[in-house]
Amino acid sequence: MTIKRLLITLIILLNFSTICLSQVVIGKNTIGASVLLDFAENTTNGLVLPHINDIHLITDATVGTVVFDKITKKAHYYDGVQWIAINKEEGTLPLIAAEKEQGGDQGVIIGSEESTAKGVLILESSDKAMVLPKIYDPAKNVPSPYPGMICYDTRGKHVYIFNGLRWEIVG
């Protein structure tokens, strides 16, 4: 790694460490007191879950971990004992594979200086929550949804997940 790349990486990490201990908004300017992570209203971009080759190979999952399993082609969450499918129907995988994650098993932590959880993005708080991206009628308004995309439909008042073939109501 060149000195220039190293310096840029360090500057980004130092600036991001300030953000990691605070509340975060994406695409808007204000955030509610009880929210750790919030997204802009009326967007067409949902939250895409990590795609895992085989969830049964994850031996140290944290309770509440949510992923998209490439084998079952379904989103799952870990309840502390087993993986529970979130969507009912099997979906499909994207035609172009996402770039492989680089680095260790501890991702970016928001809301705390440290966490025992493992993941790409870890929201750690005892009194704040994450608000899903709000999309009006995602089946109609998201032009190219990605398998594992999850959002709140402001039209139907439901949480939806895209399984790679169609949008499903969660729950």
Side-chain angles (χ1 to χ4, degrees):
M1 181 181 288
T2 66
I3 297 290
K4 184 178 178 181
R5 289 180 86 191
L6 180 62
L7 286 174
I8 291 171
T9 302
L10 285 174
I11 289 169
I12 291 170
L13 289 174
L14 288 173
N15 286 329
F16 200 75
S17 67
T18 304
I19 295 170
C20 291
L21 298 176
S22 61
Q23 294 168 286
V24 178
V25 293
I26 298 174
K28 64 188 233 177
N29 296 323
T30 60
I31 192 166
S34 65
V35 179
L36 191 59
L37 176 62
D38 195 4
F39 300 88
E41 304 258 348
N42 301 318
T43 182
T44 59
N45 298 314
L47 182 68
V48 178
L49 300 174
H51 287 214
I52 304 297
N53 288 327
D54 183 357
I55 57 175
H56 295 76
L57 297 178
I58 302 173
T59 58
D60 57 353
T62 303
V63 173
T65 297
V66 182
V67 297
F68 188 87
D69 181 36
K70 290 182 178 180
I71 291 177
T72 63
K73 299 181 189 87
K74 293 181 181 182
H76 290 76
Y77 74 91
Y78 187 67
D79 71 357
V81 178
Q82 62 184 341
W83 290 97
I84 309 293
I86 293 174
N87 50 314
K88 296 169 185 68
E89 293 183 42
E90 179 180 298
T92 186
L93 298 176
L95 297 175
I96 301 171
E99 189 174 311
K100 205 171 186 182
E101 179 190 351
Q102 302 295 316
D105 58 2
Q106 188 76 31
V108 175
I109 302 168
I110 297 176
S112 178
E113 290 188 36
E114 56 187 35
S115 176
T116 57
K118 292 181 173 29
V120 176
L121 174 63
I122 302 159
L123 305 176
E124 187 75 44
S125 178
S126 60
D127 62 349
K128 292 182 176 37
M130 179 189 78
V131 176
L132 288 173
K134 299 171 197 81
I135 301 174
Y136 183 84
D137 196 0
K140 186 183 284 186
N141 292 311
V142 178
S144 301
Y146 199 80
M149 180 183 278
I150 190 167
C151 65
Y152 179 77
D153 176 16
T154 57
R155 177 178 163 259
K157 310 284 190 238
H158 294 287
V159 173
Y160 277 85
I161 189 160
F162 185 70
N163 70 14
L165 297 173
R166 66 188 55 81
W167 288 95
E168 289 186 53
I169 295 176
V170 174

